[in-house]
Amino acid sequence: MRACIPLVLAVLCGLAWAGKMESCASRCNEKFNRDAACQCDRRCLRHGNCCEDYEHLCTEDHKESEPLPQPEEETEEALASNLYSAPTSCQGRCYEAFDKHHQCHCNARCQEFGNCCKDFESLCSDHEGFSHSSDAITKEEIQSISEKIYRADTNKAQKEDIILNSQNCISPSQTRDQRDRCPKPLFTYVNEKLFSKPTYAAFINLLNNYQRATGHGEHFSAQELAEQDAFLREIMKTAVMKELYSFLHHQNRYGSEQEFTDDLKNMWFGLYSRGNEEGDSSGFEHVFSGEVKKGKVTGFHNWIRFYLEEKEGLVDYYSHIYDGPWDSYPDVLAMQFNWDGYYKEVGSAFIGSSPEFEFALYSLCFIARPGKVCQLSLGGYPLAIRTYTWDKSTYGNGKKYIATAYIVSSA
């Protein structure tokens, strides 16, 4: 598959539709505005896209304004801004190669030339290969293990296993109009023999164990709890997860495979509350099965779930804004869709990957770069995954659950 629009062109288009909103006058702490040339929301400093007068107009007079959005509510904005807007931040770009088309830079010599992005120090100086901590995992190590995981995924779909009909590619500025621009389903054909493989079958058994609406507590039967253990047991047999465990064991993160498996179960399947009721969500439910909160789809970053729901007539594929560069599976697609009456503005997903492949990469990034952008390499192509920690409750000795994990860039 190929990118539906070159990223340089996407950047130029982004500048064209950015408009003339270049000041924070009367805009302090507004919500993210995709049509603005610069931002005045509470997260603009983190993303490096604030207007020049943000600090002067907003930081002193509006300190007690609206609270920051929860991570699951910002995924569409984060994905769209990181992937398709003019790069003004080092988010996901630490120590990348020099690119003359970028407004600011995040390479190893940007400080020497005085052209670093504003957030270079905060995002790049203490990680991505330059940490002073003896047990830190470097960017190069993460990229190396991600390539090993990529090569180890023998359960992935082959070209003939999936016929994809991606149809209409739109610009990021069009994602909010909720128009269905694709009359046909995304998946024309999937070889369902894939689903008889042990990890696929165990994964699919989990998908219907959740209530998608937040605010309704999850109560698992003994059978459903056993299905969680069965899934972990099956994926831990694979070369993909053995590569990941071996890497983390070598990094002194886990002393035994059982310790690693137990921690995966807690971080992914441990329940916490996104709504009003205790224990209504988990990292696995959010990322792989999908949820509905405040009238919109959150999470839902899995191609198998998408295919099964589309087959049942519950998912209506609308369009996509990005189709990754890989010529074989797994690939990446950033798409828009309706899930049984609820809209997903931008949802990124691997296509054609095995369950253990996605589980391994998201787990790697959460363990190595919790709450940050994690730079990988797959088949020679760069890819970044963003994770968020759940900070309102913990397990074990203060460990944090996975709030979400998703692809933020692939070029």
PDB file of all heavy atoms in Angstrom, residues 200-212:
ATOM      1  N   TYR A 200      -5.312 -15.822  17.157  1.00  0.00           N
ATOM      2  CA  TYR A 200      -6.471 -15.123  16.607  1.00  0.00           C
ATOM      3  C   TYR A 200      -7.750 -15.582  17.303  1.00  0.00           C
ATOM      4  O   TYR A 200      -8.600 -14.761  17.687  1.00  0.00           O
ATOM      5  CB  TYR A 200      -6.600 -15.386  15.107  1.00  0.00           C
ATOM      6  CG  TYR A 200      -5.625 -14.645  14.223  1.00  0.00           C
ATOM      7  CD1 TYR A 200      -4.325 -15.097  14.066  1.00  0.00           C
ATOM      8  CD2 TYR A 200      -6.011 -13.517  13.506  1.00  0.00           C
ATOM      9  CE1 TYR A 200      -3.425 -14.443  13.236  1.00  0.00           C
ATOM     10  CE2 TYR A 200      -5.128 -12.850  12.665  1.00  0.00           C
ATOM     11  CZ  TYR A 200      -3.829 -13.320  12.534  1.00  0.00           C
ATOM     12  OH  TYR A 200      -2.943 -12.674  11.700  1.00  0.00           O
ATOM     13  N   ALA A 201      -7.906 -16.906  17.429  1.00  0.00           N
ATOM     14  CA  ALA A 201      -9.120 -17.442  18.059  1.00  0.00           C
ATOM     15  C   ALA A 201      -9.243 -16.970  19.503  1.00  0.00           C
ATOM     16  O   ALA A 201     -10.338 -16.576  19.953  1.00  0.00           O
ATOM     17  CB  ALA A 201      -9.095 -18.972  17.998  1.00  0.00           C
ATOM     18  N   ALA A 202      -8.128 -16.994  20.236  1.00  0.00           N
ATOM     19  CA  ALA A 202      -8.161 -16.543  21.629  1.00  0.00           C
ATOM     20  C   ALA A 202      -8.468 -15.055  21.720  1.00  0.00           C
ATOM     21  O   ALA A 202      -9.182 -14.608  22.630  1.00  0.00           O
ATOM     22  CB  ALA A 202      -6.825 -16.866  22.303  1.00  0.00           C
ATOM     23  N   PHE A 203      -7.933 -14.277  20.783  1.00  0.00           N
ATOM     24  CA  PHE A 203      -8.187 -12.831  20.752  1.00  0.00           C
ATOM     25  C   PHE A 203      -9.667 -12.551  20.472  1.00  0.00           C
ATOM     26  O   PHE A 203     -10.311 -11.741  21.170  1.00  0.00           O
ATOM     27  CB  PHE A 203      -7.321 -12.185  19.681  1.00  0.00           C
ATOM     28  CG  PHE A 203      -7.577 -10.721  19.454  1.00  0.00           C
ATOM     29  CD1 PHE A 203      -7.043  -9.761  20.301  1.00  0.00           C
ATOM     30  CD2 PHE A 203      -8.362 -10.290  18.391  1.00  0.00           C
ATOM     31  CE1 PHE A 203      -7.275  -8.414  20.098  1.00  0.00           C
ATOM     32  CE2 PHE A 203      -8.594  -8.940  18.178  1.00  0.00           C
ATOM     33  CZ  PHE A 203      -8.060  -8.006  19.035  1.00  0.00           C
ATOM     34  N   ILE A 204     -10.234 -13.214  19.475  1.00  0.00           N
ATOM     35  CA  ILE A 204     -11.624 -12.981  19.098  1.00  0.00           C
ATOM     36  C   ILE A 204     -12.569 -13.345  20.238  1.00  0.00           C
ATOM     37  O   ILE A 204     -13.601 -12.688  20.449  1.00  0.00           O
ATOM     38  CB  ILE A 204     -11.955 -13.753  17.807  1.00  0.00           C
ATOM     39  CG1 ILE A 204     -11.209 -13.119  16.624  1.00  0.00           C
ATOM     40  CG2 ILE A 204     -13.460 -13.767  17.533  1.00  0.00           C
ATOM     41  CD1 ILE A 204     -11.259 -13.925  15.347  1.00  0.00           C
ATOM     42  N   ASN A 205     -12.220 -14.371  21.011  1.00  0.00           N
ATOM     43  CA  ASN A 205     -13.056 -14.751  22.155  1.00  0.00           C
ATOM     44  C   ASN A 205     -13.199 -13.626  23.172  1.00  0.00           C
ATOM     45  O   ASN A 205     -14.184 -13.583  23.923  1.00  0.00           O
ATOM     46  CB  ASN A 205     -12.468 -15.975  22.850  1.00  0.00           C
ATOM     47  CG  ASN A 205     -12.728 -17.259  22.090  1.00  0.00           C
ATOM     48  OD1 ASN A 205     -13.630 -17.325  21.248  1.00  0.00           O
ATOM     49  ND2 ASN A 205     -11.938 -18.289  22.365  1.00  0.00           N
ATOM     50  N   LEU A 206     -12.238 -12.716  23.222  1.00  0.00           N
ATOM     51  CA  LEU A 206     -12.264 -11.636  24.206  1.00  0.00           C
ATOM     52  C   LEU A 206     -13.153 -10.465  23.804  1.00  0.00           C
ATOM     53  O   LEU A 206     -13.596  -9.694  24.655  1.00  0.00           O
ATOM     54  CB  LEU A 206     -10.843 -11.109  24.438  1.00  0.00           C
ATOM     55  CG  LEU A 206      -9.836 -12.065  25.067  1.00  0.00           C
ATOM     56  CD1 LEU A 206      -8.430 -11.465  25.003  1.00  0.00           C
ATOM     57  CD2 LEU A 206     -10.206 -12.361  26.510  1.00  0.00           C
ATOM     58  N   LEU A 207     -13.393 -10.300  22.507  1.00  0.00           N
ATOM     59  CA  LEU A 207     -13.971  -9.048  22.007  1.00  0.00           C
ATOM     60  C   LEU A 207     -15.394  -8.798  22.474  1.00  0.00           C
ATOM     61  O   LEU A 207     -15.813  -7.640  22.592  1.00  0.00           O
ATOM     62  CB  LEU A 207     -13.901  -9.022  20.479  1.00  0.00           C
ATOM     63  CG  LEU A 207     -12.491  -9.007  19.892  1.00  0.00           C
ATOM     64  CD1 LEU A 207     -12.544  -9.043  18.367  1.00  0.00           C
ATOM     65  CD2 LEU A 207     -11.714  -7.778  20.373  1.00  0.00           C
ATOM     66  N   ASN A 208     -16.144  -9.851  22.735  1.00  0.00           N
ATOM     67  CA  ASN A 208     -17.544  -9.667  23.135  1.00  0.00           C
ATOM     68  C   ASN A 208     -17.740  -9.732  24.647  1.00  0.00           C
ATOM     69  O   ASN A 208     -18.878  -9.876  25.113  1.00  0.00           O
ATOM     70  CB  ASN A 208     -18.422 -10.723  22.445  1.00  0.00           C
ATOM     71  CG  ASN A 208     -18.506 -10.496  20.945  1.00  0.00           C
ATOM     72  OD1 ASN A 208     -18.517  -9.354  20.482  1.00  0.00           O
ATOM     73  ND2 ASN A 208     -18.556 -11.576  20.184  1.00  0.00           N
ATOM     74  N   ASN A 209     -16.660  -9.590  25.388  1.00  0.00           N
ATOM     75  CA  ASN A 209     -16.754  -9.654  26.854  1.00  0.00           C
ATOM     76  C   ASN A 209     -16.945  -8.290  27.501  1.00  0.00           C
ATOM     77  O   ASN A 209     -16.892  -8.176  28.727  1.00  0.00           O
ATOM     78  CB  ASN A 209     -15.491 -10.309  27.431  1.00  0.00           C
ATOM     79  CG  ASN A 209     -15.379 -11.781  27.066  1.00  0.00           C
ATOM     80  OD1 ASN A 209     -16.333 -12.368  26.549  1.00  0.00           O
ATOM     81  ND2 ASN A 209     -14.223 -12.377  27.324  1.00  0.00           N
ATOM     82  N   TYR A 210     -17.162  -7.251  26.669  1.00  0.00           N
ATOM     83  CA  TYR A 210     -17.199  -5.889  27.197  1.00  0.00           C
ATOM     84  C   TYR A 210     -18.467  -5.147  26.794  1.00  0.00           C
ATOM     85  O   TYR A 210     -19.034  -5.390  25.728  1.00  0.00           O
ATOM     86  CB  TYR A 210     -15.985  -5.104  26.683  1.00  0.00           C
ATOM     87  CG  TYR A 210     -14.659  -5.691  27.097  1.00  0.00           C
ATOM     88  CD1 TYR A 210     -13.947  -6.545  26.245  1.00  0.00           C
ATOM     89  CD2 TYR A 210     -14.123  -5.424  28.356  1.00  0.00           C
ATOM     90  CE1 TYR A 210     -12.734  -7.091  26.631  1.00  0.00           C
ATOM     91  CE2 TYR A 210     -12.912  -5.968  28.743  1.00  0.00           C
ATOM     92  CZ  TYR A 210     -12.218  -6.800  27.885  1.00  0.00           C
ATOM     93  OH  TYR A 210     -11.026  -7.342  28.273  1.00  0.00           O
ATOM     94  N   GLN A 211     -18.885  -4.218  27.678  1.00  0.00           N
ATOM     95  CA  GLN A 211     -19.920  -3.249  27.332  1.00  0.00           C
ATOM     96  C   GLN A 211     -19.205  -2.011  26.787  1.00  0.00           C
ATOM     97  O   GLN A 211     -18.343  -1.458  27.459  1.00  0.00           O
ATOM     98  CB  GLN A 211     -20.742  -2.863  28.561  1.00  0.00           C
ATOM     99  CG  GLN A 211     -21.431  -4.023  29.242  1.00  0.00           C
ATOM    100  CD  GLN A 211     -22.259  -3.554  30.422  1.00  0.00           C
ATOM    101  OE1 GLN A 211     -23.280  -2.888  30.253  1.00  0.00           O
ATOM    102  NE2 GLN A 211     -21.823  -3.905  31.620  1.00  0.00           N
ATOM    103  N   ARG A 212     -19.577  -1.582  25.604  1.00  0.00           N
ATOM    104  CA  ARG A 212     -18.798  -0.516  24.981  1.00  0.00           C
ATOM    105  C   ARG A 212     -19.020   0.852  25.611  1.00  0.00           C
ATOM    106  O   ARG A 212     -18.166   1.733  25.513  1.00  0.00           O
ATOM    107  CB  ARG A 212     -19.097  -0.437  23.480  1.00  0.00           C
ATOM    108  CG  ARG A 212     -20.490   0.040  23.136  1.00  0.00           C
ATOM    109  CD  ARG A 212     -20.637   0.179  21.635  1.00  0.00           C
ATOM    110  NE  ARG A 212     -21.945   0.723  21.270  1.00  0.00           N
ATOM    111  CZ  ARG A 212     -22.290   1.059  20.038  1.00  0.00           C
ATOM    112  NH1 ARG A 212     -21.420   0.916  19.057  1.00  0.00           N
ATOM    113  NH2 ARG A 212     -23.486   1.539  19.793  1.00  0.00           N
TER     114      ARG A 212
END
